[in-house]
Amino acid sequence: MKSIEQDKLETLLQIIAPAPALRIAHFCESGEKMVEILGDFCSQNEYEYQLNCTEPSFFEILENKYQDHTYIKPVKFSLERPRYMIQGKLYEYLFVTSSIKKESRSDFLKKAHGIIKNAGLILIFIPKGDKSQRYTWMTLFEEHYYVASSTIDDLFEHYDVLISKKMHGWGE
């Protein structure tokens, strides 16, 4: 993951409405700085932050760094799993910085739908200006019961952020 601007990520985090016991999940393969910023945010607010590490070497780094941490939990995670539900937990926010192959995106959104609370948000970071990838994701959001989709393309230097809300009461 390319560098991310701390002040701009903190601005993005303002979309998270203060509430007790929020859960945030993050599919990541790299990007210690982003994990650190999100981890600090979650620790300060006493939110649960689960890091679904899709790259084993990144999991090892995070496991050592956060092994005694109350609110941050790294998990070695395979995107090929048949389901993403872990311990029956649902998340209000799902950050995605892992690279998801084009042919796997539909399946990823189906599985992710099951771990997001009703009206929860998914935030997918894609390379800045990649209109093809943006179009693909936006089309898939609609197909897989995500609504109110939008793009933030003027915040980060290297990324556009696609945001969509899980439609409640629908889906498989």
Side-chain angles (χ1 to χ4, degrees):
M1 179 172 192
K2 292 184 180 180
S3 65
I4 194 146
E5 304 93 325
Q6 180 170 344
D7 59 331
K8 293 179 181 179
L9 182 55
E10 289 169 352
T11 298
L12 178 66
L13 292 177
Q14 290 176 10
I15 67 168
I16 299 176
L22 280 180
R23 290 187 177 138
I24 298 172
H26 183 183
F27 284 87
C28 56
E29 61 192 8
S30 64
E32 280 186 73
K33 186 66 174 172
M34 183 169 184
V35 167
E36 184 180 310
I37 295 165
L38 281 167
D40 289 346
F41 174 80
C42 290
S43 293
Q44 290 167 6
N45 292 290
E46 299 181 352
Y47 298 158
E48 182 178 329
Y49 180 38
Q50 179 160 310
L51 295 151
N52 296 326
C53 303
T54 58
E55 178 60 45
S57 60
F58 192 52
F59 166 74
E60 291 172 16
I61 292 167
L62 297 181
E63 182 183 40
N64 291 329
K65 186 173 184 176
Y66 296 110
Q67 64 186 351
D68 297 323
H69 204 284
T70 305
Y71 299 103
I72 303 171
K73 181 179 179 178
V75 174
K76 189 184 287 185
F77 201 93
S78 170
L79 293 171
E80 306 306 316
R81 292 173 61 147
R83 293 180 22 175
Y84 291 168
M85 180 65 75
I86 300 172
Q87 304 167 342
K89 293 182 180 182
L90 296 175
Y91 300 89
E92 285 85 3
Y93 299 90
L94 178 61
F95 286 78
V96 181
T97 57
S98 287
S99 299
I100 311 295
K101 295 176 187 169
K102 189 173 185 174
E103 63 274 8
S104 302
R105 291 177 187 162
S106 181
D107 193 44
F108 174 81
L109 286 178
K110 284 180 193 174
K111 294 177 197 177
H113 198 272
I115 64 171
I116 301 171
K117 277 190 171 183
N118 288 339
L121 294 179
I122 185 169
L123 297 94
I124 300 178
F125 289 68
I126 64 170
K128 184 113 183 130
D130 189 336
K131 291 182 181 174
S132 172
Q133 196 171 157
R134 180 189 306 178
Y135 177 78
T136 301
W137 280 114
M138 290 299 198
T139 301
L140 289 171
F141 283 153
E142 190 175 318
E143 290 174 12
H144 295 291
Y145 309 107
Y146 292 88
V147 297
S149 301
S150 62
T151 303
I152 299 174
D153 59 3
D154 60 351
L155 187 60
F156 297 104
E157 182 180 349
H158 301 291
Y159 300 99
D160 290 338
V161 182
L162 309 178
I163 301 175
S164 198
K165 184 178 283 204
K166 175 184 175 179
M167 183 186 295
H168 61 284
W170 293 75
E172 299 173 14

